Amino acid sequence: AQTVPDFNGTVPAAPSTSADSPQPPQSPVLSVQRVGPEDLLAISVANSPELTRNFRVSDDGTLALPMMRKRLMVAGKDTPEIEKEIADELVAEQILVQPVVSVSVAELRSRPVSVVGAVRHPITFQATGNITLLDAITRADGLSEAAGADILLTRAHEAGDALTGSLVERIPVHKLIDEADPSVNVRLYGGEQIRVPFAGRVYVLGNVKRSGAFPIQDNNQLTVMKVLAESDGLAPYAKKDGFIFREETGKAERDAIMVPIKDILDRKAPDVSLQANDILYVPDNSKKRVTEETLIKTLSFGVATVSGYLIFH
C-alpha cells in the first residue's frame, strides 16, 4: 500500500508490532451482526492506547470516542462498517493518518427476546447466534400445563429500512412442537416478544362430585357431557336441568342458558358446547333432598319403635 505523508509532510513509520505496543482489551467476542443501542464494543486502534478499550453505544445509537469531536452513528451497522467509519473520522479530524481499526461486539444488549405467559420460567435473553422460536421456548423451560393452543410472536415490522410498527403472528403449538413443522419455527433476531396465552377455562359448580376450573386444551371443544365427566359426574340430589352462565360483550351480567343435563346424559337431548369462561351450574333438587331425608328419618323412627317394642316384651 502507498505511504501517505502526515500533515507535517513527513512519512510516518509503519505501525509497530512489538510487544510494547498496546494490546486490545481481552473480552468475549460475539458473532458479527448489526450493532444497536447499549451494546458494548471492543475497539482497538493500533498505536493509540486512548482508543483501545471497550466503549458503550449510547441510547441514541451513537458512539463517542476520545479526541474525536464528532459522535458516530453506529446503530444498525455491522463491525466492518464501524471500523471504516472510525478510521475515516480519525483521518478527517487529522488525528491519525493511516489508522488501523478493529471492532468487535464484547457485550450484546440491543437484541432482547422475552418469553412470558404460560411457560415454566419467563425469561428475557439476548438473541446471539442462530436462535429460533423453539430455542426460546426451551430457554423458558417449556410450556406450562395451562398453556393455550397458540403462541403469539410480536416483532417489529420493517418496510425497507424503516420500522412501521409491530407485527403479531399466531403460531399453533401443535405445529411447532407435535408436528415439528420447520415453517413455524422462525428465526429470532432480537426485539421479539413471545407470549403464550393461558388456555381458556370452563368452570363447573353446584351438585357435581368435583367442582373446579377445566382448561380447553388444543382447541378441543368442551361440552356439557365432557366437562361433567371431568367433574366425576353428578352428585346426589342434582336437579334435572342446569344453567350455563355466559359472558356477552357489552353486558354487565352474564346470560343464563338452561340446559337439560339429565336428558343429555341419557342421550335424549343433543350435547351442548361450552365456551371459554362459561360457568356450568348444577342446582340442588331441594324438594327431592327433603323428601328422601324425611323418608329416611321416618324409617329410622319406625325401626327404633319396633325394636323397642320387641325388647319391651
Side-chain angles (χ1 to χ4, degrees), residues 113-115 125-140 151 153 155 171 176 181-190 192 194:
V113 175
S114 61
V115 187
F125 63 93
Q126 297 293 324
T128 59
N130 188 6
I131 300 294
T132 66
L133 176 59
L134 194 55
D135 293 331
I137 297 297
T138 302
R139 293 195 183 200
I151 296 172
L153 174 63
R155 64 171 82 204
I171 299 175
L176 177 67
D181 186 345
S183 66
V184 297
N185 189 24
V186 296
R187 183 173 177 180
L188 306 177
Y189 297 92
E192 294 90 353
I194 300 164

Side-chain angles (χ1 to χ4, degrees), residues 27 48 66 85 118 158 193 206:
S27 57
S48 181
E85 186 90 7
E158 297 183 4
Q193 183 190 71

Side-chain angles (χ1 to χ4, degrees), residues 18-261:
S18 67
D20 297 332
S21 300
Q23 299 299 315
Q26 297 298 319
S27 57
V29 177
L30 305 178
S31 58
V32 175
Q33 59 182 311
R34 301 285 175 181
V35 169
E38 296 297 320
D39 287 347
L40 186 66
L41 301 182
I43 298 177
S44 172
V45 180
N47 297 321
S48 181
E50 300 89 350
L51 297 171
T52 301
R53 60 184 178 87
N54 293 343
F55 295 90
R56 180 79 65 184
V57 180
S58 64
D59 291 339
D60 61 1
T62 61
L63 183 66
L65 297 178
M67 302 184 295
M68 293 176 57
R69 297 188 300 270
K70 180 180 177 182
R71 297 180 67 93
L72 303 179
M73 175 56 69
V74 297
K77 298 177 181 178
D78 58 26
T79 52
E81 292 173 330
I82 297 172
E83 290 172 353
K84 185 177 185 305
E85 186 90 7
I86 294 173
D88 290 346
E89 189 59 29
L90 288 172
V91 173
E93 295 191 18
Q94 301 184 3
I95 298 171
L96 294 174
V97 178
Q98 286 183 308
V100 179
V101 182
S102 175
V103 177
S104 61
V105 179
E107 181 185 34
L108 197 63
R109 287 191 182 179
S110 63
R111 296 290 181 268
V113 175
S114 61
V115 187
V116 298
V119 292
R120 299 188 186 280
H121 295 99
I123 189 175
T124 298
F125 63 93
Q126 297 293 324
T128 59
N130 188 6
I131 300 294
T132 66
L133 176 59
L134 194 55
D135 293 331
I137 297 297
T138 302
R139 293 195 183 200
D141 292 337
L143 305 178
S144 71
E145 294 178 356
D150 296 314
I151 296 172
L152 301 181
L153 174 63
T154 304
R155 64 171 82 204
H157 183 249
E158 297 183 4
D161 294 331
L163 298 178
T164 59
S166 299
L167 181 66
V168 180
E169 301 175 49
R170 186 177 294 271
I171 299 175
V173 170
H174 71 92
K175 280 191 174 183
L176 177 67
I177 297 177
D178 298 334
E179 299 179 9
D181 186 345
S183 66
V184 297
N185 189 24
V186 296
R187 183 173 177 180
L188 306 177
Y189 297 92
E192 294 90 353
Q193 183 190 71
I194 300 164
R195 186 166 63 87
V196 184
F198 289 88
R201 293 173 179 269
V202 170
Y203 302 89
V204 183
L205 303 173
N207 264 34
V208 292
K209 293 180 180 178
R210 185 168 66 94
S211 300
F214 301 93
I216 303 174
Q217 298 287 359
D218 298 331
N219 286 331
N220 289 332
Q221 182 65 57
L222 276 184
T223 64
V224 169
M225 185 176 289
K226 287 181 180 179
V227 82
L228 286 177
E230 293 193 32
S231 303
D232 296 336
L234 298 175
Y237 311 113
K239 212 166 186 179
K240 180 179 179 181
D241 298 323
F243 295 92
I244 297 173
F245 295 98
R246 178 169 295 167
E247 291 179 338
E248 294 292 341
T249 304
K251 291 185 178 181
E253 296 183 355
R254 293 174 179 258
D255 288 340
I257 306 169
M258 191 177 72
V259 288
I261 292 178

Side-chain angles (χ1 to χ4, degrees), residues 296-309:
I296 290 172
K297 288 179 181 179
T298 302
L299 290 174
S300 299
F301 176 76
V303 170
T305 303
V306 171
S307 298
Y309 177 78

